[in-house]
Amino acid sequence: MESAVNAEDAVGLENAAHPAEVAARLGVPVEEVERVHELAGDLPSAPLPAKADAPAILDRLQVPADDAAEIMAGWPDADSPLWTPELRWLLDRTIALVRADLGGSGWLPPGPELPRERGLAWRHLYVYAYLALVDVVMEYHRDHGISESVSWATLADLGRNLGVDRRMNGEGWPVMQAWLTLHARGGLYELGRLQHQRGSVEIGLHIPDAGPLTPETVDASLDEARAFFPRHFPDEAYTVFSCGSWLLDPQLLEYLPASSNIVKFQQRFELEAYEEPEGIDADVEVRRFVFRNLTTPLDQLPRDTVLRRAVIDHLNAGRHWFWRRGTFPI
């Protein structure tokens, strides 16, 4: 196992650098560095896997070949010139921050969004943090009797999201930094077609980019969850499935046929009264998931499916999509 930060760099940064200086070197807001410092404190980090073991781990995490090559090339070796003291400090404290909330299931941004064009260490810092936490969360899974097949299927969302980010020319990954801390803390599990997030009394449903959302695959995933959570988290009592998504926007019914998988998915839910979601622009999220593109003009986007035509026509008409939330009993 390899340390995320060597002692000399850690001591040097601790003694010489104020959060404002670290933020200036990283090119990020100082309050975001202060947040990492406050949440991580001097809590224990976790080592990265041995570099020799990394290719096999990346393969199990379904990381695409191009991304795996970059991750290996930017590996935080002790003598790597790519890794400045402040980057090593941020990696180490990010790991500690996420590890401190092991078992948590809430939204947890791990650290500031970095200017990734500055190099491989900047581009993949949060990937290295995720890799350092694989053994930690796998042990948590084992303690709860969760099978390795579920563990690896869940954690392989890393590869899926790196693939999305590459398709989006870097516009996807910043959104996913906080998302992937759910996996690394044992807060979310991929059970068949759907991902299931632990909560208070709700199991939150998420829909990965993993093929058609057929009623049969959804039913199978829900049935698996109904057995999974009482078995592995017997002290947690869940009463409803919940989902927050643009997929629940009733305006989609204006465009999609009754036979649509999305329509049938919507019909499972009782919608809550609409509230403007904090930090979510549904128009952006629809484009992110339907086209994997945020910058191409609407008239140049493909119109090859009913859904894509619906999204384009709706926005061209000056209308907006809405992020809706709904539930149904377990």
Side-chain angles (χ1 to χ4, degrees):
M1 305 294 281
E2 302 175 2
S3 174
V5 61
N6 64 54
E8 182 180 348
D9 279 335
V11 171
L13 192 60
E14 187 69 24
N15 291 340
H18 186 274
E21 184 178 347
V22 174
R25 293 179 190 174
L26 294 175
V28 300
V30 65
E31 58 268 20
E32 296 191 20
V33 176
E34 290 173 340
R35 172 185 171 274
V36 172
H37 188 271
E38 291 167 4
L39 291 180
D42 58 359
L43 295 170
S45 183
L48 272 75
K51 188 176 182 180
D53 297 332
I57 296 171
L58 293 171
D59 185 60
R60 293 209 72 173
L61 297 174
Q62 299 181 29
V63 173
D66 288 346
D67 295 292
E70 285 191 357
I71 290 164
M72 295 306 300
W75 196 263
D77 295 311
D79 59 352
S80 172
L82 303 176
W83 286 84
T84 62
E86 57 272 17
L87 283 173
R88 292 185 186 276
W89 176 87
L90 179 61
L91 173 59
D92 185 76
R93 291 300 83 201
T94 292
I95 297 166
L97 185 160
V98 178
R99 183 178 186 176
D101 196 44
L102 184 65
S105 58
W107 196 249
L108 182 66
E113 182 181 334
L114 297 174
R116 296 185 300 157
E117 69 280 358
R118 294 182 63 175
L120 294 178
W122 303 78
R123 188 177 310 158
H124 293 302
L125 185 142
Y126 293 107
V127 176
Y128 299 115
Y130 191 94
L131 294 175
L133 291 161
V134 166
D135 277 351
V136 173
V137 75
M138 288 289 284
E139 182 177 358
Y140 178 84
H141 286 188
R142 286 191 292 271
D143 288 345
H144 286 80
I146 294 165
S147 71
E148 282 203 3
S149 61
V150 169
S151 297
W152 286 111
T154 299
L155 295 175
D157 206 24
L158 173 69
R160 179 187 291 134
N161 281 287
L162 285 171
V164 168
D165 188 64
R166 186 171 287 274
R167 287 165 58 193
M168 294 186 65
N169 298 314
E171 294 177 331
W173 181 252
V175 174
M176 296 303 170
Q177 284 176 203
W179 163 245
L180 288 162
T181 69
L182 288 169
H183 310 56
R185 288 177 290 142
L188 177 141
Y189 298 90
E190 187 159 325
L191 306 172
R193 181 63 185 85
L194 302 175
Q195 294 164 320
H196 300 257
Q197 180 182 350
R198 294 167 46 226
S200 52
V201 298
E202 299 179 359
I203 296 173
L205 302 178
H206 301 275
I207 304 97
D209 186 359
L213 190 68
T214 66
E216 294 77 15
T217 58
V218 172
D219 285 339
S221 183
L222 297 175
D223 286 343
E224 190 172 350
R226 291 182 179 108
F228 179 90
F229 288 97
R231 181 186 306 127
H232 301 296
F233 297 95
D235 297 332
E236 300 177 2
Y238 296 107
T239 59
V240 296
F241 290 110
S242 67
C243 184
S245 175
W246 59 270
L247 285 168
L248 300 188
D249 187 341
Q251 295 179 108
L252 286 165
L253 301 178
E254 300 176 27
Y255 303 95
L256 303 180
S259 60
S260 161
N261 289 332
I262 293 175
V263 171
K264 292 179 178 179
F265 185 73
Q266 272 197 18
Q267 290 170 344
R268 298 173 186 269
F269 294 87
E270 180 178 345
L271 290 184
E272 299 177 354
Y274 178 72
E275 292 185 10
E276 187 76 26
E278 184 177 352
I280 296 176
D281 183 329
D283 289 344
V284 171
E285 294 310 307
V286 169
R287 286 196 52 152
R288 189 188 304 280
F289 284 91
V290 175
F291 297 102
R292 299 302 187 191
N293 181 293
L294 300 181
T295 56
T296 300
L298 290 175
D299 61 2
Q300 296 178 27
L301 290 171
R303 297 177 57 87
D304 53 336
T305 68
V306 174
L307 179 59
R308 285 179 164 180
R309 290 193 292 274
V311 171
I312 294 169
D313 292 345
H314 192 82
L315 294 174
N316 269 334
R319 301 172 69 186
H320 295 282
W321 296 105
F322 295 97
W323 190 270
R324 298 299 301 268
R325 211 175 143 354
T327 62
F328 61 92
I330 288 178

